[in-house]
Amino acid sequence: MAGGRSGPLLTALLAAWVAVAAAADEAEEAGPEHAALPAGQSMVLPMTASNWTLVMEGEWMLKFYAPWCPSCQQTDSEWETFAKNGELLHISVGKVDVIQEPGLSGRFFVTTLPAFFHAKDGIFRRYRGPGIYEDLQNYILEKKWQSVEPLTGWKYPASLTMSGMAGLFSISGKIWHLHNYFTVTLGMPAWCSYALFVIATLIFGLLMGLVLVLISECFYVPFPRHVSEHPEQSRKSEEAHRAEQLLDAEDEKDDSNEEENKDSLVDDEEEKEDFGDEDEPEEEEEEDNLAAGADEETSDTQDQGPPREPLEEREPNETKEDAPGQPRPSDREDTVRQRKSQHADKGP
């Protein structure tokens, strides 16, 4: 009985031992790249804002994805296979969830999904090929990344510009999470969430303005009152001095005009006197001529004899009227007056 029971048990143990040995031999022949991994374990390292600086050392491949992205889901299996062979390729493989880490997506300025980046000793390049295992493996083995232009300048992930971009993306991500909390968790309507964000933005702007005013008041040094009033006093004194100068200039101008008028009047009087002195010899000459003419007439009448009285009375008048070169007294006075008026007109 005992021998009959122990026979099948030994046979079963022998069979189990043979099966285990065969499995071990198959595992050794398959090599490390096809070794079985514990269920749920992944060779892809999740990258966050706290550990992303690990990619600054060594060689890395990063994948930016979103859980809702269909293209990202299609490349998940290929990316896992690529990560499992990372030890053979001497490369580390990581992934970034842009929903959970919006700051990193802003730091690398990710605009399309999925996005792949290659990093070698802190030098970053964008991989634009397909996310297939064979292509990724050839990209590393053949060093195709050397022909790709690296990210430099303001596009460099560790630059100040990209750090600021990361901060903006982080704030936008937090606002988006808060919006989802209001609408999904609390069941709030979307317009109520938007209204709350608008009000919060206004209040934040007012507070920031108040803070800036307080800071400016703390650093602003007011000028003393006497210093601030001094420019006004100097300005008023300058205006008064200018007004006095204008008044002095007007007074001088009036005085010069008066002197010119006086000089012109004196000159006119002197000219008139000169003209009067010139007219007196002419009048004397005319009177002498008239006297000489009268003497000649009287002498002629005496030579002819005593004529009749009517003729004597008429002839002198006729001779006086008809004598050429002997002007009448009234004509003489008129000529003198005309000359004076002409000289008076020419004088000024």
Side-chain angles (χ1 to χ4, degrees):
M1 294 292 295
R5 292 178 180 179
S6 60
L9 181 59
L10 292 174
T11 304
L13 291 174
L14 181 60
W17 179 78
V18 172
V20 172
D25 294 337
E26 291 178 359
E28 290 178 358
E29 292 177 358
E33 61 180 276
H34 292 92
L37 293 174
Q41 185 178 358
S42 175
M43 298 296 296
V44 181
L45 178 64
M47 307 302 296
T48 62
S50 59
N51 66 349
W52 81 272
T53 54
L54 294 175
V55 300
M56 302 294 288
E57 298 178 357
E59 190 172 6
W60 285 76
M61 285 293 292
L62 296 178
K63 173 187 175 181
F64 289 82
Y65 73 99
W68 48 263
C69 176
S71 299
C72 300
Q73 294 173 2
Q74 293 176 2
T75 59
D76 286 344
S77 59
E78 300 288 340
W79 195 252
E80 290 290 342
T81 304
F82 179 65
K84 291 176 182 177
N85 292 277
E87 294 182 359
L88 295 176
L89 300 173
H90 303 287
I91 189 171
S92 302
V93 180
K95 62 180 180 180
V96 179
D97 186 355
V98 296
I99 302 300
Q100 300 296 329
E101 299 294 334
L104 285 180
S105 64
R107 186 178 293 277
F108 286 84
F109 203 68
V110 176
T111 56
T112 58
L113 294 175
F116 303 96
F117 287 87
H118 174 267
K120 176 69 173 178
D121 297 329
I123 299 175
F124 297 87
R125 293 176 174 86
R126 181 76 178 266
Y127 171 73
R128 299 185 182 277
I132 302 174
Y133 169 70
E134 287 79 8
D135 294 330
L136 294 170
Q137 186 177 11
N138 294 331
Y139 184 79
I140 300 301
L141 292 175
E142 298 177 6
K143 296 184 179 181
K144 294 181 179 180
W145 48 267
Q146 292 180 350
S147 61
V148 180
E149 184 179 359
L151 301 177
T152 57
W154 64 272
K155 294 181 180 181
Y156 186 67
S159 65
L160 182 62
T161 306
M162 289 294 102
S163 297
M165 190 69 69
L168 291 176
F169 274 64
S170 298
I171 293 172
S172 64
K174 291 178 181 179
I175 293 173
W176 185 79
H177 286 298
L178 188 60
H179 175 71
N180 287 337
Y181 175 76
F182 288 152
T183 55
V184 177
T185 305
L186 300 180
M188 185 182 296
W191 65 269
C192 292
S193 176
Y194 295 146
L196 289 175
F197 283 119
V198 170
I199 294 171
T201 303
L202 293 175
I203 294 173
F204 180 75
L206 293 174
L207 292 176
M208 289 298 296
L210 180 61
V211 170
L212 292 175
V213 170
L214 293 176
I215 292 172
S216 63
E217 288 291 334
C218 292
F219 288 97
Y220 174 71
V221 179
F223 291 100
R225 186 174 181 181
H226 66 277
V227 175
S228 61
E229 291 177 354
H230 181 68
E232 296 180 358
Q233 294 177 356
S234 61
R235 182 175 56 82
K236 291 180 180 179
S237 63
E238 288 179 358
E239 291 178 355
H241 183 64
R242 290 177 182 175
E244 290 178 358
Q245 289 180 351
L246 292 174
L247 292 174
D248 294 338
E250 291 178 356
D251 293 338
E252 291 178 357
K253 187 176 181 180
D254 295 337
D255 295 338
S256 62
N257 291 331
E258 290 179 358
E259 290 178 357
E260 290 178 356
N261 293 329
K262 289 179 180 180
D263 295 337
S264 61
L265 292 173
V266 171
D267 293 338
D268 293 339
E269 292 178 356
E270 290 178 355
E271 289 179 357
K272 289 180 180 179
E273 290 178 358
D274 295 337
F275 292 144
D277 295 338
E278 292 177 356
D279 293 338
E280 286 178 359
E282 292 178 357
E283 291 177 358
E284 290 177 357
E285 290 177 359
E286 291 178 356
E287 290 177 357
D288 294 339
N289 292 328
L290 291 173
D295 293 338
E296 290 177 358
E297 289 177 357
T298 53
S299 62
D300 292 337
T301 53
Q302 289 177 0
D303 294 336
Q304 292 177 0
R308 289 178 296 181
E309 292 178 359
L311 293 172
E312 291 176 356
E313 293 177 358
R314 184 174 57 83
E315 287 176 358
N317 294 329
E318 290 178 357
T319 54
K320 291 178 182 179
E321 292 176 358
D322 298 334
Q326 295 179 359
R328 298 177 184 179
S330 61
D331 295 337
R332 184 176 59 79
E333 292 177 357
D334 293 336
T335 56
V336 172
R337 290 176 181 174
Q338 289 177 359
R339 289 177 180 176
K340 289 182 178 181
S341 63
Q342 289 176 358
H343 288 299
D345 293 335
K346 293 179 180 179

